[in-house]
């Protein structure tokens, strides 16, 4: 479909799609913020780079920083690979398992 569009229309379409995605993301983030206030978790685990970039910092590098803990306000936050990545790249499963064990240890140390 995109091959048939002229370059200007293609870029306008991409801009419109990005605008919609950002609007949805902003609405989801407001909802997440309110949920976090109500639940007040000790630990937050981001599933994937996009969530980590939103909650930890915009330049978060999931391949280098997954499993590392960051203190933000009252929360300990970490990120792990998105589960969909494990379907595409099964070699990441061992790293994910190590991250999950570390999360379990952190939870046990808090409780």
């Amino acid at each position: 479909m995109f091959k048939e569009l002229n370059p200007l229309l293609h870029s306008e379409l991409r801009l419109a799609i990005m605008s919609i995605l950002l609007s949805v993301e902003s609405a989801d983030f407001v909802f997440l913020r309110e949920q976090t206030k109500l639940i007040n978790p000790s630990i937050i685990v981001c599933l994937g780079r996009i969530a980590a970039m939103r909650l930890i910092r915009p330049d978060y590098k999931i391949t280098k920083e997954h499993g590392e803990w960051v203190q933000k306000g009252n929360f300990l936050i970490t990120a792990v690979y998105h589960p969909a990545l494990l379907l595409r790249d099964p070699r990441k499963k061992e790293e994910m398992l190590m991250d999950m064990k570390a999360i379990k240890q952190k939870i046990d140390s808090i409780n």
Side-chain angles (χ1 to χ4, degrees):
M1 176 183 159
F2 287 121
K3 292 178 184 177
E4 299 168 4
L5 299 175
N6 69 48
L8 181 59
L9 183 58
H10 182 259
S11 63
E12 289 175 5
L13 182 59
R14 289 185 69 186
L15 182 59
I17 290 169
M18 289 302 295
S19 178
I20 291 168
L21 291 175
L22 290 174
S23 297
V24 169
E25 181 181 295
S26 295
D28 287 345
F29 192 68
V30 169
F31 185 68
L32 178 63
R33 183 178 292 139
E34 292 304 312
Q35 281 184 323
T36 305
K37 286 179 187 176
L38 291 171
I39 298 169
N40 194 26
S42 302
I43 291 176
I44 297 174
V45 178
C46 300
L47 297 180
R49 179 183 60 89
I50 303 302
M53 289 172 64
R54 190 74 168 140
L55 293 178
I56 297 173
R57 80 174 178 282
D59 64 342
Y60 191 86
K61 307 290 186 214
I62 192 76
T63 54
K64 292 180 182 178
E65 301 177 81
H66 67 91
E68 295 178 8
W69 293 95
V70 176
Q71 182 81 42
K72 290 198 86 175
N74 296 330
F75 309 113
L76 275 172
I77 306 176
T78 191
V80 297
Y81 292 123
H82 193 281
L85 174 68
L86 303 178
L87 296 173
R88 292 190 310 273
D89 187 355
R91 296 171 296 173
K92 302 282 188 201
K93 288 182 180 180
E94 186 64 33
E95 291 176 74
M96 179 69 137
L97 180 59
M98 291 172 38
D99 288 346
M100 289 292 138
K101 287 179 178 180
I103 291 166
K104 170 77 166 93
Q105 287 178 338
K106 185 65 80 172
I107 291 169
D108 290 345
S109 72
I110 290 173
N111 292 334

